[in-house]
Structure formats: C-alpha cells, structure tokens
Amino acid sequence: MSRKQARRISAAILTVALSLALSGLLEARAEPPAGCSPTPMTLAVIGVKNEIKDPNWENQLIGSGISHLVLQALYDTGRYVPIEDNPEIVAEVDRLIGLQWAGAAPRYGEADAARIAADLKTEAVAWARAISFSTSRRRSSFGGLVGGARTTVTVEVEIFVKEKDRPVISARGKGKASTDSLGVFFQIRKDKVYFDQTTVGKATQEAVTAAVKELKFP
C-alpha cells in the first residue's frame, strides 16, 4: 500500500470517528433533563382570582404580576414553554387576566379551561387564586428594654393546571416574609409591580413557588 493510499484511509477513519462523536454529543445535548417532559407543552396562564378583601390588593397590575410569577414557576419545572407571543394572543390573555382579577368573570372550571386552551391553541393552561393575606407584628426586647417591631406577612395561593386530555390538578402554597420597617405592601411604579422589593411581594413569590412544588403531575 502506498503512503498516499494510507493517508486517504486514515483520513476516512478520522472523518467517521468525528462524525460518530459529534452524533453522540448532539444526542446527549438533545436529551431532556431528568424529570422533565421530553417535549415541553405550550402553556398560557389565564388569570388569578382575587379572594383577598383588602384595598391594597385591588390594583389589576398585581393580578398580572402574580400571573407572570405562576408562568415562571411552571416554566422552571421544564414541563412547559410559553405559548406563541403574538399581539392577538397577548391581548386575549391580558383580557382574561383582567377579568379574573377584577371579579368580572367567575372562577374557571374544567370545561372553561379546556375551551380557553382550544381558543388559544395551547396544550395547557394554568390559573390561580389569591386565597389569604395576613400580617403579624411582634415587638422585640433586649435586657428589659423594648426595641423595634418586626412584621411578618403570610400569603396563601392555589394554582390550577389543565393539560390537554387530562383532568385539572391543583395545589396550595404559603409564603412568609418579615421586615423591621413599616412598609409591607406592594410597590407599584411605572405600571409595574416590584415583587422582590416588598415584604408582601416576597411572600407571594414564595407562596407561588411552594404551590408549584406541590403539584402532582401525571
């Protein structure tokens, strides 16, 4: 065998080896993380029912903000991806969220969820209800001297998920956050709610995360 032929054979073997290695790498990267759905389902969060009778919870931006928290928490499971982001769908989802938070529409049932999912052309829908909100204030003391007071906020929510051809599942979650300052309510600036900057916001985030962790997926 000539040196030229030997070089050709070696090059061919190297090409095949690299192809196999690349193929294996791509297959490994395509494999979903453990516990995730192999093909994530499209999801829309269609609102939060406000059952908290407190004027500080009336702003519709709070309902929109909690809806986004629910979407993020469900996306983080690896089971879902948001539905297509086009103006018509965004407008319809915003309308549904507004109606739910304002109490202008009844709380969703299973048939409602299935119908809305079909209208939005999504494989799954989720919604929630803000169940309760409470505060407790405790004064601290040291060496017989009364110090400042610490306020603890507790929020409870329930999250519902309806996947195509499957029954609704739901779970509740509670969140708590504490502060030494007097400000415990939502901060709304420039049409945005800053959940991570207030005690009630942090408690709400924790409640949503806790509820999603309790969901029993099929």
Side-chain angles (χ1 to χ4, degrees):
M1 179 186 301
S2 67
R3 289 184 180 180
K4 189 174 183 180
Q5 288 175 321
R7 283 198 298 269
R8 286 179 180 173
I9 293 173
S10 296
I13 293 173
L14 180 60
T15 300
V16 171
L18 288 174
S19 297
L20 291 173
L22 180 59
S23 177
L25 177 61
L26 292 175
E27 287 180 5
R29 291 180 62 185
E31 185 177 343
C36 295
S37 174
T39 304
M41 287 172 275
T42 54
L43 171 76
V45 176
I46 55 178
V48 181
K49 196 73 174 174
N50 183 17
E51 298 180 0
I52 296 173
K53 307 303 180 184
D54 187 304
N56 291 289
W57 283 74
E58 290 178 355
N59 195 305
Q60 184 177 320
L61 290 173
I62 298 171
S64 297
I66 297 176
S67 295
H68 283 99
L69 291 179
V70 173
L71 179 61
Q72 182 65 53
L74 289 170
Y75 170 77
D76 288 344
T77 67
R79 190 178 180 86
Y80 306 100
V81 293
I83 59 172
E84 182 183 354
D85 187 6
N86 71 50
E88 288 185 4
I89 290 179
V90 169
E92 178 60 13
V93 169
D94 286 346
R95 185 184 74 85
L96 294 170
I97 290 172
L99 289 174
Q100 279 291 295
W101 190 255
R107 199 170 87 192
Y108 298 122
E110 188 157 346
D112 302 313
R115 174 182 53 79
I116 293 170
D119 290 343
L120 296 176
K121 295 180 175 59
T122 182
E123 296 170 292
V125 290
W127 63 99
R129 63 187 185 113
I131 300 172
S132 65
F133 157 77
S134 63
T135 62
S136 61
R137 193 163 173 81
R138 178 180 296 179
R139 291 194 173 277
S140 59
S141 61
F142 181 76
L145 299 175
V146 177
R150 189 165 183 79
T151 301
T152 298
V153 173
T154 303
V155 174
E156 183 178 12
V157 302
E158 184 173 15
I159 293 176
F160 304 81
V161 177
K162 171 73 172 78
E163 296 178 356
K164 186 176 181 179
D165 300 327
R166 289 174 176 161
V168 173
I169 59 172
S170 66
R172 293 189 181 193
K174 281 188 178 181
K176 290 185 178 182
S178 300
T179 182
D180 293 326
S181 67
L182 295 175
V184 300
F185 294 108
F186 292 104
Q187 293 288 331
I188 301 174
R189 299 192 301 273
K190 295 182 179 179
D191 292 334
K192 185 176 180 180
V193 181
Y194 293 83
F195 283 86
D196 59 342
Q197 296 181 13
T198 62
T199 309
V200 67
K202 292 175 182 176
T204 304
Q205 284 180 311
E206 186 176 295
V208 168
T209 300
V212 169
K213 285 183 178 178
E214 292 298 317
L215 287 169
K216 306 300 182 185
F217 296 111

